[in-house]
Amino acid sequence: MAIIPVPQLSDNYAYLVIDDTSKQCGVVDCAEADKVIAEVERRGLQLIAVLPTHWHHDHVGGNEDLVRAIPGLCVYGARGEHGRIPAQTHEVDDGDTVEVASLKARVIGIPAHTNGHIAYYFAALNAVFTGDTLFIAGCGRVFEGRAQTMVDSLAKLAALPDSTQVYCGHEYTEKNLRFALTLEPNNQALKSKYEWAKDERAAGRYTVPSTIRDEKQFNPFLRTDSPELRANLKQLVPTLADDKVAVFAKARELKDKF
Ligand code: ZN
Ligand code: FE
């Protein structure tokens, strides 16, 4: 069992999820089929399934090319995306189980970035694929839902076991941490994660995965209860209401312009 990131476009990640025994694998989010197929072949694997997190082009743009190259491929797609997943063969919904050879994942509905955005939670791998909903130290833009929708979706992910490894859709970590520091400049976990991320990126390494435990310590969108974060937002907006959703919405709005 292994998870291998395959960089796509300028800052996207596809991930191979590999069943060692059968040498079969699935790919979570594919923008560029050639790069995914090359990695599959280099490792002597057989690609059997495509697991898209949401319909945006940088997460499904490679689907048509994949099925052309590998006939019979199973392509999952969330019901909530209403057929917008190219080459979709199997519809899934919150709570369903998808299979990649002997590996099983629970589908978790996490709408807001898109209405049908889903995560894939592989309990046996202790890993969750969060697409553009939960990033390392950040979250996706709210395109199709409301602030409340995203707060609820993030809460579902935060409720996974602390040790769960978080594999997200983009390498946005360094910029996310820079923004987070504007809200919690004295958060020690955040400061050290930022130093770490700068070194990793300078060395050309990926910052994925993180863990649910880590995200709770430095991700501003999971830290709407933090007194420091709230105080800093209130300096900017003295009338800001004291509820989670209002705090989230303000932080998200600032990040949109960061
Ligand atoms: Zn997206
Ligand atoms: Fe994306």
Side-chain angles (χ1 to χ4, degrees):
M1 300 188 300
I3 295 168
I4 306 292
V6 184
Q8 305 270 279
L9 308 174
S10 59
D11 54 26
N12 277 80
Y13 288 121
Y15 297 100
L16 299 185
V17 187
I18 304 166
D19 175 60
D20 289 330
T21 324
S22 66
K23 293 267 179 199
Q24 292 181 319
C25 69
V27 62
V28 177
D29 286 347
C30 175
E32 296 175 289
D34 52 346
K35 290 181 187 167
V36 168
I37 290 170
E39 191 62 32
V40 165
E41 287 175 352
R42 202 173 69 76
R43 292 174 179 272
L45 303 169
Q46 184 197 1
L47 183 65
I48 58 168
V50 184
L51 291 68
T53 59
H54 66 292
W55 70 267
H56 288 163
H57 196 69
D58 57 321
H59 300 259
V60 299
N63 287 10
E64 300 281 6
D65 287 341
L66 281 181
V67 300
R68 251 191 300 277
I70 307 167
L73 207 52
C74 163
V75 181
Y76 293 107
R79 183 182 309 271
E81 297 297 52
H82 303 292
R84 290 178 292 184
I85 305 290
Q88 178 180 319
T89 60
H90 289 67
E91 195 168 73
V92 295
D93 216 340
D94 180 53
D96 286 353
T97 299
V98 300
E99 289 176 11
V100 179
S102 72
L103 306 175
K104 289 180 179 26
R106 177 157 58 87
V107 173
I108 307 176
I110 45 170
H113 182 71
T114 67
N115 280 330
H117 197 305
I118 54 176
Y120 298 94
Y121 173 55
F122 288 83
L125 295 177
N126 205 26
V128 66
F129 296 90
T130 58
D132 286 0
T133 298
L134 178 64
F135 293 124
I136 300 182
C139 78
R141 286 180 192 248
V142 179
F143 285 129
E144 297 181 5
R146 317 169 68 105
Q148 176 79 63
T149 325
M150 184 58 100
V151 168
D152 293 345
S153 291
L154 290 173
K156 277 170 126 175
L157 295 172
L160 293 172
D162 271 344
S163 61
T164 308
Q165 295 186 298
V166 175
Y167 291 88
C168 59
H170 289 267
E171 180 61 60
Y172 288 162
T173 308
E174 214 182 314
K175 190 177 178 196
N176 285 344
L177 288 162
R178 235 177 9 248
F179 171 73
L181 280 166
T182 66
L183 300 179
E184 284 191 298
N186 298 308
N187 177 334
Q188 197 49 56
L190 175 53
K191 287 200 272 189
S192 25
K193 186 73 177 184
Y194 180 54
E195 292 309 317
W196 172 84
K198 275 196 298 189
D199 291 347
E200 291 303 291
R201 294 308 290 152
R205 288 192 287 263
Y206 312 143
T207 61
V208 285
S210 70
T211 64
I212 293 293
R213 180 188 297 108
D214 287 351
E215 291 306 315
K216 287 179 190 167
Q217 285 176 18
F218 52 65
N219 190 318
F221 301 103
L222 297 178
R223 296 180 57 76
T224 47
D225 289 333
S226 151
E228 187 188 10
L229 182 143
R230 287 197 170 198
N232 281 314
L233 284 175
K234 278 199 173 168
Q235 289 232 296
L236 298 167
V237 195
T239 57
L240 186 67
D242 256 325
D243 73 284
K244 245 180 171 18
V245 177
V247 171
F248 170 88
K250 192 66 212 174
R252 186 58 260 180
E253 184 194 324
L254 291 170
K255 178 63 172 66
D256 287 351
K257 296 180 262 178
F258 184 72

